[in-house]
Amino acid sequence: MIETKAYAAQDEKTPLAPWTFERRDVGPHDVQFDILFCGVCHSDLHQIKNDWFPGIFPMVPGHEIVGRVIKVGDHVKNFKVGDLAGTGCLVDSCRECENCKQDLEQYCLKGNSQTYNGYEQDGKTPTYGGYSNTIVVNEDFVLHIKENLDLAAVAPLLCAGITTYSPLRHWKVGKGHKLAVLGLGGLGHMAVKFGVAFGADVTVLSTSSKKEEDAKRLGAHHFVVTTDEAQVNAAKNTFDFILDTVSAEHDFNMYLSLLRTNGVHICVGVPPKPAEIAAFSLLGGRKSVAGSGIGGIAETQEMLDFCAENNIVSDIEKIDIKDIQTAYDRMEKGDVRYRFVIDMATL
Ligand code: NAP
Ligand code: ZN
């Protein structure tokens, strides 16, 4: 077994603190890589707080993981020692169901293995995430990362990147579309970058004017402050798509009024409480509410390659792991510019 250093939450009320545990030895199809950087996703905070469901504790969060390969199993074909490597939200899936066969492991019908707060495919070995010094993952769930980009800024692509890239590709958002990105945080700022790269006319919908300059710098064409009634009224019936990245309770009916006829409100944010949606908000204009979860492994690789070719990375604030609680507190207040990334050398 491999002795592993980490930061863990022992239960939903105790702040993260140093912890050690054992990872499995490198099997014939496994890759072991030392973690250099790990992004901080709002899902980490939701899960250590039991916002969605009771978690598996101790919990080592982190699913935006990048580093360098230090060991490979005898049958590993696609990685060698010294390569850059990444792992996102998934470390395994059944590989046999209809969805897995179509490269949609994120929708595995038998239940995929999440990188943390989940179980391996044996259904009993807990998984532990990237707030740790090293990780062992089956090579089919390890991503290739090109050397040309800032590695710390690549880490958030593994979740925030793919979670926004995948729905924009699925709904073929691009030239001629008006896209609204709701919430300018980790996911939101990546959605702006991809929306712009795909040729859409991009508007950021934000709760205050504080991030307006940043939004424009990120490439957004317009900015609407959603607490300003006049600005909201002027934006009614204008968007083909809203990509909703909001982590907290919000009024869907108000945002649906901003969609054009046939518009689609795509949920990627996961507030702890269910939303109330009036049928009238949908039927006047044949509107839809849809959802999208992360992305499959092949699409994640496609996204990473797209980013490497187009020089797209996340805008990050690098932090020491001891400051994780401050990062969570700021994230909770919407004060993220635009992804915290832990420098794992500080572990
Ligand atoms: P984040 O960095 O904290 O960004 C969320 C943003 O939402 C905030 O910056 C803020 O933007 C806005 N916001 C917060 N509270 C709001 C409210 N009450 N009303 C309106 N807007 C509000 O979070 P993130 O890491 O991007 O994650 C966003 C959500 O996506 C989380 O729920 C996370 O769990 C979920 N997620 C889902 C998937 C998936 O597979 N679907 C994957 C990863 C994450 P402004 O300051 O601009 O208002
Ligand atoms: Zn995430």
Side-chain angles (χ1 to χ4, degrees), residues 150-163:
D150 172 17
L151 190 62
V154 166
L157 301 179
L158 275 307
C159 174
I162 185 59
T163 302

Side-chain angles (χ1 to χ4, degrees), residues 178-180 203 205 235 237-242 258-260 263:
K178 288 190 190 298
L179 166 69
T203 301
L205 306 178
N237 304 304
T238 54
F239 303 116
D240 299 290
F241 298 96
I242 294 175
L258 308 185
L259 285 174
R260 295 164 98 161

Side-chain angles (χ1 to χ4, degrees), residues 155-205:
L157 301 179
L158 275 307
C159 174
I162 185 59
T163 302
T164 49
Y165 181 94
S166 184
L168 295 178
R169 284 303 199 206
H170 176 76
W171 274 277
K172 300 186 169 55
V173 177
K175 246 192 166 64
H177 288 137
K178 288 190 190 298
L179 166 69
V181 174
L182 173 49
L184 195 62
L187 267 56
H189 92 291
M190 290 312 306
V192 170
K193 292 188 187 208
F194 289 133
V196 170
F198 300 164
D201 184 74
V202 178
T203 301
V204 168
L205 306 178

